[in-house]
Amino acid sequence: MENTLGSISELEACLGTTPLGVQMKVIDHLDAHAARWIAASPFAFVAFSDASSIRATLAGGAPGFASVQGPQALVLPAEALEDATLARAGQGVGMLFLLSGIGETLRVNGRVSKMTGAGVELAVDECYVHCAKALLRSQFWAARPRPDAPTDVAAFLAETRFLALATADANGNADLSPKGDPAGKMVREQDGKTIYADRPGNRRADSFRNILVRPEVAALALVPGSPFVAALSGRARIVTDEGARAPFAVDGKTPLLATVLEGPPPVVFESAVLQRARLWPSKPAEPGIDPSEILLAHVKLNKTLGQQATELRTSVSRDIIGKGLEADYRDNLY
């Protein structure tokens, strides 16, 4: 019998609460750092949600395919989306922007404000830099082009090393979370169910919290280097039992949680977006984009009130953040 988490309190008993420093890396707009990141990015995962559904697709092309129109305005051209039919005015949107050679990702959340001839106009509510653990574990940017990668579903999932998980909360706010692992330790199929490991991340636990109140999810799985993608969807539940977690152990470390997804069989398709974005082989990191510097700027811009928040803004520095990230990636990758 699977031990399924059923409440936020049970989740926090496993993972702990979200630290103040993690909460304070989130800002409510696109600052100059985020605009520079988006202008250099050739690729993003995108999730659209409403009261009854959550769907995920890809977007990309030349660097700067997405256009920042203001601190809270972003435009995705329809032709940049793998499936533009998913977008409708009023939907929640979650985006995960990748930048070649950089392990961290930029997460942007908001709403579709309107559909125009220019594409999908988005009103931004949240922006923050996500930790590099998923891309590091998957060796995402070390991949070479894989024209020989399998397209059979079972074989593809066996080689999957990266997964973008789309969830939504009770109010329809969408979120995209990156997951990464070595091949064979990312996803497995068992009795018609898909199971994936949940490793240490940024401790916001957004996807976990969303699943507890709204279990419908969508996911896109990649074999880095391949232009093919596996699309998954269904109802998810978070489990703690040893039988589900043990097969995902790496270096003697077993994840605290695993997620079981039940739904229609995964579908593998060739992505026109991945072909346009040309992610592999990776290019050198964009000059002038420093995740530690961006995190520092976002902590300073965060509007959280209170003495602890004020003290954190005053005491934090780029050096402290950089050393903290280095230690976290070294000691807590699994």
Side-chain angles (χ1 to χ4, degrees):
M1 179 68 68
E2 291 173 348
N3 301 309
T4 301
L5 296 186
S7 67
I8 298 297
S9 60
E10 291 177 347
L11 175 67
E12 292 182 345
C14 288
L15 301 182
T17 58
T18 305
L20 177 63
V22 172
Q23 298 174 22
M24 287 186 62
K25 71 178 185 177
V26 183
I27 59 175
D28 62 1
H29 64 283
L30 301 172
D31 68 338
H33 292 287
R36 190 177 304 120
W37 187 300
I38 292 169
S41 174
F43 178 77
F45 295 95
V46 186
F48 295 102
S49 66
D50 54 31
S52 60
S53 67
I54 177 77
R55 304 286 297 277
T57 189
L58 306 96
F65 70 92
S67 174
V68 175
Q69 299 294 308
Q72 292 181 299
L74 181 65
V75 174
L76 293 176
E79 63 271 17
L81 289 161
E82 192 86 53
D83 187 353
T85 66
L86 300 182
R88 297 187 299 277
Q91 289 179 311
V93 181
M95 290 167 285
L96 184 69
F97 285 92
L98 276 62
L99 200 51
S100 184
I102 293 180
E104 288 78 9
T105 55
L106 184 73
R107 291 169 72 165
V108 178
N109 298 330
R111 292 269 170 182
V112 177
S113 54
K114 60 182 175 179
M115 305 290 294
T116 70
V120 186
E121 292 195 10
L122 310 174
V124 174
D125 297 325
E126 285 189 326
C127 173
Y128 60 99
V129 172
H130 188 92
C131 78
K133 292 177 184 176
L135 268 69
L136 290 173
R137 289 191 295 255
S138 66
Q139 296 188 324
F140 194 92
W141 295 121
R144 307 296 296 178
R146 285 285 309 276
D148 61 336
T151 56
D152 171 77
V153 171
F156 189 90
L157 291 179
E159 290 201 35
T160 290
R161 303 207 310 270
F162 187 86
L163 183 145
L165 176 69
T167 62
D169 66 14
N171 297 316
N173 298 305
D175 184 76
L176 263 167
S177 177
K179 312 287 183 182
D181 264 316
K185 298 295 184 179
M186 178 76 254
V187 179
R188 66 186 182 95
E189 294 284 294
Q190 179 178 307
D191 300 327
K193 306 168 187 175
T194 303
I195 306 174
Y196 61 86
D198 277 300
R199 311 287 183 186
N202 68 351
R203 295 184 65 186
R204 272 179 57 103
D206 296 292
S207 57
F208 289 135
R209 296 174 188 275
N210 289 348
I211 287 170
L212 287 172
V213 299
R214 186 173 163 175
E216 293 80 14
V217 306
L220 297 172
L222 273 63
V223 174
S226 168
F228 287 86
V229 179
L232 304 90
S233 62
R235 292 176 65 86
R237 62 181 186 275
I238 308 161
V239 302
T240 61
D241 66 294
E242 179 73 14
R245 297 183 295 111
F248 296 107
V250 176
D251 295 336
K253 296 183 179 180
T254 301
L256 296 175
L257 301 172
T259 299
V260 178
L261 176 61
E262 295 185 76
V267 176
V268 175
F269 65 93
E270 189 170 14
S271 168
V273 166
L274 283 176
Q275 291 174 325
R276 290 197 304 266
R278 300 180 181 275
L279 299 181
W280 304 285
S282 66
K283 301 172 181 63
E286 185 74 14
I289 294 183
D290 180 344
S292 296
E293 182 180 341
I294 300 172
L295 283 164
L296 174 62
H298 287 186
V299 169
K300 300 284 190 182
L301 289 168
N302 181 277
K303 299 175 181 177
T304 300
L305 300 176
Q307 182 178 349
Q308 285 184 311
T310 300
E311 290 175 353
L312 181 59
R313 287 191 199 92
T314 303
S315 62
V316 73
S317 68
R318 186 204 169 284
D319 186 54
I320 289 173
I321 289 176
K323 289 180 178 178
L325 290 177
E326 182 180 355
D328 191 33
Y329 298 160
R330 182 187 65 239
D331 302 333
N332 301 314
L333 200 58
Y334 287 97

